[in-house]
């Protein structure tokens, strides 16, 4: 009896199934990446109301982070510096610069400059800034080399998996507390030193859900 369908027709269902599997895998991978903080948040660099350069202040002038962000080791939130902090210098430096017009206006009126927040965690995620700084999590570990940025941008995803990587392996990241604000901090034996710090400071980061979501 003659064949009604050619032999290659037997391969069509297999090829369709394989194609669907490849398409579904690619779609899931695409959604996972393109809707993740690594894609949507990394590189976020809003235009600020005043063109403040961290590259100049934290880099060339070597200001310590805590000169402006004074309560990073005491508060849940890292504070934005008050206008008074800016005017400590700028009541004598660049006093007529149009770039600082909004700073001078803020100083005269008492109304704060409306800086735009760069690093912003979701409301459902609890984060205590002081708790991290005080055990040796460096500024650049989360914020990157701000001393090289004219305009601060987000360089890390701040996603749950990113946080958990540090919580599960703190020895890879912690440094002596006095080096927290040091930009470009490097040590040859990071794991060994990190393990010492973890032991000395009793660092035991939680990895259970309710520690950050409650």
């Amino acid at each position: 009896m003659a064949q009604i369908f050619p032999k290659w027709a037997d391969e069509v269902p297999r090829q369709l199934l394989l194609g669907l599997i490849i398409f579904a895998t690619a779609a899931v991978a695409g959604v996972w990446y393109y809707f993740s903080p690594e894609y949507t948040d990394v590189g976020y660099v809003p235009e600020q109301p005043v063109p403040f350069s961290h590259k100049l202040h934290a880099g060339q002038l070597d200001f310590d982070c805590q000169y402006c962000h004074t309560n990073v080791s005491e508060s849940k939130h890292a504070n934005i510096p008050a206008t008074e902090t800016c005017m400590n210098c700028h009541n004598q430096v660049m006093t007529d610069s149009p770039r600082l017009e909004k700073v001078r206006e803020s100083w005269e009126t008492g109304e704060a400059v409306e800086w735009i927040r760069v690093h912003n965690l979701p409301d459902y995620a609890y984060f205590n800034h002081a708790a991290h700084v005080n055990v040796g999590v460096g500024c650049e570990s989360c914020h990157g080399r701000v001393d090289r940025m004219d305009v601060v941008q987000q360089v890390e995803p701040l996603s749950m998996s990113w946080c958990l990587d540090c919580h599960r392996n703190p020895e890879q990241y912690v440094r002596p507390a006095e080096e927290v604000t040091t930009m470009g901090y490097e040590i040859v034996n990071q794991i060994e030193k990190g393990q010492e710090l973890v032991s000395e400071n009793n660092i035991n980061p939680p990895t259970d859900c309710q520690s950050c979501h409650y």
Side-chain angles (χ1 to χ4, degrees):
M1 181 178 178
Q3 288 184 325
I4 299 176
F5 298 102
K7 290 183 177 180
W8 58 263
D10 293 337
E11 295 297 321
V12 172
R14 296 190 185 92
Q15 292 176 355
L16 286 174
L17 180 60
L18 179 61
L20 286 172
I21 292 173
I22 294 174
F23 175 79
T25 303
V28 170
V31 169
W32 176 82
Y33 177 71
Y34 289 108
F35 285 85
S36 70
E38 185 173 359
Y39 182 80
T40 59
D41 297 348
V42 170
Y44 174 57
V45 52
E47 183 178 351
Q48 299 291 354
V50 178
F52 178 88
S53 172
H54 275 75
K55 183 177 181 179
L56 170 63
H57 292 80
Q60 295 177 30
L61 299 178
D62 197 27
F63 280 20
D64 187 275
C65 302
Q66 294 184 85
Y67 178 78
C68 297
H69 305 287
T70 54
N71 66 355
V72 293
S73 61
E74 302 170 357
S75 173
K76 172 185 173 183
H77 300 290
N79 64 300
I80 294 174
T83 301
E84 181 180 3
T85 302
C86 304
M87 293 302 292
N88 285 340
C89 294
H90 288 294
N91 63 357
Q92 300 180 56
V93 179
M94 298 177 65
T95 56
D96 297 321
S97 172
R99 294 162 61 90
L100 299 174
E101 181 178 352
K102 290 188 177 181
V103 175
R104 293 192 297 270
E105 182 180 326
S106 171
W107 179 245
E108 292 170 1
T109 64
E111 296 184 7
V113 176
E114 295 185 4
W115 300 98
I116 300 174
R117 189 169 183 170
V118 179
H119 303 86
N120 193 17
L121 290 177
D123 291 339
Y124 54 78
Y126 174 80
F127 176 83
N128 188 306
H129 202 279
H132 289 75
V133 169
N134 290 327
V135 295
V137 178
C139 301
E140 66 177 301
S141 296
C142 300
H143 300 295
R145 292 295 302 273
V146 294
D147 60 318
R148 296 175 177 175
M149 301 179 191
D150 276 317
V151 182
V152 170
Q153 62 176 292
Q154 184 169 329
V155 297
E156 299 292 353
L158 309 184
S159 61
M160 185 170 70
S161 61
W162 179 81
C163 294
L164 282 173
D165 180 55
C166 183
H167 275 225
R168 290 168 176 160
N169 307 283
E171 69 280 354
Q172 296 182 13
Y173 304 98
V174 293
R175 60 179 73 178
E178 63 270 16
E179 300 287 354
V180 163
T181 61
T182 301
M183 291 290 147
Y185 172 81
E186 292 183 0
I187 187 171
V188 176
N189 55 339
Q190 171 61 49
I191 300 299
E192 181 182 342
K193 181 62 176 178
Q195 289 173 339
E196 290 179 9
L197 291 170
V198 166
S199 177
E200 290 173 5
N201 298 321
N202 194 28
I203 300 174
N204 186 27
T207 56
D208 52 284
C209 301
Q210 63 266 28
S211 295
C212 300
H213 308 288
Y214 59 86

